[in-house]
Amino acid sequence: MMTKLLKALALTALLTVSFSSFAITKPERPYGLVIHGGAGTILKKNMTPETEKAYREKLDEALEAGYTVLEKGGTSVEAVKAAIVIMEDSPLFNAGKGAVFTHEGVNELDASIMYSDDLSAGAVAGVSHIKNPILLADKVRTDSVHVMMAREGAEAFAKELGFELVDTKYFFTQSRWDQLQKVLKHTPEKPELSEDEAKNSKFGTVGAVALDRDGNIAAATSTGGMTNKRYGRIGDTPIIGAGTYADKNCGVSATGHGEYFIRAAVTHDICARVKYKRQGIQQSADEVIHEKLVDMGGDGGVIGLDAGANIMASFNTEGMYHGWKTSNGQSAVKIYKGE
């Protein structure tokens, strides 16, 4: 009798331990990061091996910076900022250091960020002395009651927070200056720019979307705007729902001809399709980029991911600098259509 009792107690203890172990062992949430460095007429025949290598290496560096944050348990917000700062500090991309020039020969930068956990968002527009606009945009999100600040007001806010304002000379790059001079020489009545050159003078942006271990999504975008822009023009990048959007289902960052992305509310529309039509993020993006946007006459692209770390990239141009890395083992850096 005692032997049976002891066996029963031992079995109960074993089952209790096994059940406890099972109860506390939860599958790890997937996490990941996707980035872009602008879309346009990017053709391999026009790219030197050295230039292509430089772009791929910088995209890799940005991916590693952001993914490392996620791998160590950091938030999606910190991950997208880490990735974008790398690209803002590079002259290769039209953001931060590599920003294009306006008609007046100055650099005006825009950026925005959104966080799915509380739908908080921050944006800055037309700043000219902020080395990393994405960092200031996040401070607007966390340290103010506003969503968007512009120009001198945004820079006054930055100064109050202790941001170092850089001299405008920091943003000068010869290639961007030459690009402006080439555009200024031509008029619609006497065009000498090719169709591709004209298109590529209109847009360029960097962006990142991340999903962290807690299931929160952040999307962020930063740009130098449009070459030869006038009258204080602002594009889609700092506009929540146009250039950047994130909710619990989906996060998207856009790059393209901003006027069309604003009118089509591109990033919000994609996430709305994921939520209300209950369809995949890739299908949702393709419907907007290849159908809705094309019908309007707009070009560009988007990157994003959903709550399951499913990666999306969609563009109706010849190329888009982009890449991704996820905890599911997916990793890539791509530039050209069909790659």
Side-chain angles (χ1 to χ4, degrees):
M1 188 71 170
M2 183 61 70
T3 302
K4 288 183 178 180
L5 179 60
L6 289 172
K7 286 182 177 180
L9 289 172
L11 181 59
T12 301
L14 179 61
L15 289 172
T16 301
V17 170
S18 299
F19 180 76
S20 298
S21 299
F22 175 77
I24 62 174
T25 304
K26 297 179 181 179
E28 187 178 78
R29 287 178 182 268
Y31 57 92
L33 172 73
V34 55
I35 65 173
H36 72 76
T41 307
I42 306 167
L43 300 171
K44 194 173 183 67
K45 67 180 182 180
N46 296 335
M47 187 93 70
T48 67
E50 294 76 19
T51 301
E52 180 177 329
K53 182 173 182 287
Y55 274 107
R56 291 187 185 276
E57 287 180 349
K58 191 56 65 173
L59 289 168
D60 265 328
E61 183 183 348
L63 274 174
E64 284 303 314
Y67 187 78
T68 298
V69 172
L70 298 174
E71 203 169 31
K72 292 180 177 179
T75 68
S76 53
V77 166
E78 294 304 319
V80 295
K81 289 193 297 183
I84 287 181
V85 163
I86 295 294
M87 293 186 282
E88 284 182 334
D89 288 347
S90 169
L92 291 173
F93 306 101
N94 179 17
K97 176 64 178 173
V100 298
F101 286 89
T102 68
H103 181 78
E104 291 75 22
V106 298
N107 308 100
E108 295 178 349
L109 300 90
D110 311 325
S112 65
I113 187 167
M114 188 170 185
Y115 187 43
S116 70
D117 185 51
D118 55 2
L119 295 182
S120 58
V124 294
V127 296
S128 297
H129 298 86
I130 305 298
K131 181 182 178 184
N132 296 112
I134 195 61
L135 300 183
L136 182 57
D138 194 46
K139 285 297 184 181
V140 173
R141 180 184 73 87
T142 60
D143 290 28
S144 83
V145 296
H146 306 302
V147 170
M148 186 187 296
M149 296 182 187
R151 304 183 184 281
E152 295 84 358
E155 294 188 350
F157 175 69
K159 198 170 182 180
E160 286 182 8
L161 293 179
F163 273 70
E164 178 188 357
L165 272 60
V166 298
D167 190 282
T168 54
K169 292 177 182 178
Y170 168 79
F171 300 105
F172 181 88
T173 59
Q174 193 62 51
S175 61
R176 297 300 191 192
W177 182 253
D178 292 344
Q179 183 180 16
L180 173 65
Q181 302 315 306
K182 189 171 185 178
V183 172
L184 288 175
K185 287 179 181 178
H186 310 298
T187 66
E189 293 76 26
K190 190 179 178 181
E192 293 183 37
L193 289 174
S194 69
E195 182 180 351
D196 290 344
E197 287 176 319
K199 281 186 177 181
N200 288 334
S201 72
K202 291 180 181 177
F203 55 80
T205 308
V206 304
V209 183
L211 170 70
D212 60 33
R213 292 172 181 264
D214 292 325
N216 294 316
I217 298 173
T221 315
S222 180
T223 189
M226 178 188 292
T227 300
N228 195 37
K229 68 176 182 176
R230 304 185 70 181
Y231 313 116
R233 177 263 186 186
I234 301 294
D236 65 303
T237 292
I239 299 177
I240 301 303
T244 301
Y245 194 78
D247 61 25
K248 66 179 182 179
N249 302 294
C250 169
V252 181
S253 172
T255 171
H257 194 159
E259 279 67 16
Y260 293 94
F261 280 71
I262 294 170
R263 290 162 53 199
V266 165
T267 57
H268 179 269
D269 191 5
I270 292 169
C271 288
R273 290 169 191 251
V274 171
K275 181 178 181 179
Y276 298 117
K277 295 180 73 173
R278 299 184 183 279
Q279 63 187 30
I281 189 172
Q282 187 66 54
Q283 180 183 348
S284 297
D286 287 344
E287 287 176 356
V288 175
I289 298 300
H290 294 284
E291 296 174 22
K292 181 179 181 179
L293 204 62
V294 168
D295 289 345
M296 294 172 65
D299 46 14
V302 290
I303 51 96
L305 49 68
D306 64 15
N310 296 301
I311 297 297
M312 171 276 289
S314 184
F315 52 98
N316 60 28
T317 55
E318 291 298 325
M320 179 171 73
Y321 301 106
H322 64 290
W324 60 84
K325 190 168 185 178
T326 73
S327 60
N328 297 329
Q330 301 178 60
S331 180
V333 168
K334 297 187 177 185
I335 298 176
Y336 312 109
K337 181 192 292 184
E339 185 178 354

